[in-house]
Structures are given as C-alpha cells and as structure tokens.
Amino acid sequence: MSAHMLKSTTGDVEGQLDRISKQAIHNLSKYSYDNVYVVSNSTKTLRSLIQNGINNLTDDYSKRGILINCTIINIYPADDPFSFDVYYRIYSTFVNDSSKHIQSNNMITVSIVDSSYPVYDVYPLFRSQVRTVNDSYIYNDVDVVYDNAASGLFIRRCPYDDYTSHANSNITFLDCLNNHYYHLSHDGLCIFCRLENRSTCPHNGLETFIIPSLRVNQSTSSIDHVYFNESADGHYNGSLRDFNDSFIYLDDAHGGKYGF
Ligand SMILES: [Zn+2]
Ligand SMILES: [Zn+2]
C-alpha cells in the first residue's frame, strides 16, 4: 500500500465533504420545516449531522485497510450568505502501518443554493400564519394588503447581481418575483438565524420579497425582515412599485437598492 493511495483516498473523502455538507443543511432545514421546529443551536446541530455523514463514509474505508479520522471542527456563516464555511481536520493512515500518514486542517465553503439540495426557508413558519402551496408560502394576515401574500419555500439566489436592474424592465422584476429570489442584505437574516428564529442577525444576511395581494398607494414594505419585524422602528411602510399586474411596496432605502 502506497503513500499515493493514502493521498488519493484522503482526497476522495475531502471531495465528498461538500456533498455531505449540502445534504446536511438540506436535511436540517427539511426537518425544521416538517416539524415546525426551531433549531436552538443550528451551527452545532449542522456540525453533528456533517460529522455523522463523514463517519459513515470513513467507516467504509477502514474495512479496506485505510484509517481516516475526519473531524468537523466548526461551522460558520460565510462572508457570502448563500454559503457557509466548514472547518475540518483530517488524519489518515494505514490500519497496518501508521508510519505513513497525512494530517491537515482545512476549510471548504459550501453553497446553500444548489438545486439538488434545496434549503427550506423556515422563518415564515415561525413568524406568520402560512400554508404551503407548491414552492410558496401563502400568508393569512388580518391586514388585507397581505392576506394571501406569497413568498418562497426555498432559498434561491437572485441572478440579477446588479440589484438596481430590478426596476429596469418588467422582465427582471417579474422573473425575480415569480421565482421568489433572495438577495444579499445587511439587515436581513442569514440561514442560521432563520433556523433559530432570531429577531436580528449579526452575520451577512439575506432578504426576499413578501408579495402582497392588494394594490394600494402605500403599505408595509414588502421586504421579509421588515414585514416580520415587530419593533416600532423595524416595521415601516413603503410606496407602490409596479409593472403591469405585479407590484410590491418598498421604502425609499430598499427602493433605491432595487433601482426604483
Ligand atoms: Zn431579485
Ligand atoms: Zn445570522
């Protein structure tokens, strides 16, 4: 058994960590959704799920004579909130010859917007009266403007990176609304703070539109963290922004962000 074999096997395990991590965040968000379960320490829970997944994999290798010890050290929200960082340590050797071994500490950044492993946004479940229709939440609200409003079930990244282009045409605007895309947001919540039902998030966060059902001149701003915010200064109005039959309400700051 060669050192080369040890290196390639270690590489295989590291290569599968990305898939295992995507599967773990999908499973955690699905569990939270299915059970309307607020996850008390989401990064710690995710770390255990990834550790279990990697252990199942490394158990198979030990039957073939290669001992791989991969420890998931920690999970952190990434700078890009459409992903998270997995820090791990990997040690590998031969069951019968520990003189040859590999040890390293590494980090991978894992996407939460891979459509093969969709991640549920459970925040509306905790914050509002909602039901699920296909890939959307539909809201029950005493405010008629938002009764039967809609937002997305899964976190999806808005492809219009230049956010001001939302106001350029009905094509970009409608495409974003119809797909319930998410955007980078300083005041919005990251995936972990959503799973934990927090009111605020110290990390780089996300925001999406809650699409209202009734057209008026102004109403609560249709940004999810504004709509869900119960504090006096966090819940504010916006004015109508529309193309044909589609419309949302945006305050001046968010209006500017999206090009209106
Ligand atoms: Zn968008
Ligand atoms: Zn957060």
Side-chain angles (χ1 to χ4, degrees), residues 95-115:
V95 173
N96 298 324
D97 179 7
S98 62
S99 67
K100 295 193 187 80
H101 60 88
I102 294 176
Q103 181 167 352
S104 64
N105 287 287
N106 282 315
M107 184 270 278
I108 56 166
T109 298
V110 176
S111 171
I112 63 166
V113 287
D114 181 333
S115 57

Side-chain angles (χ1 to χ4, degrees), residues 158 160 166 176 181 183 209:
C158 184
Y160 307 109
H166 283 74
C176 180
Y181 288 134
H183 311 90
F209 302 123

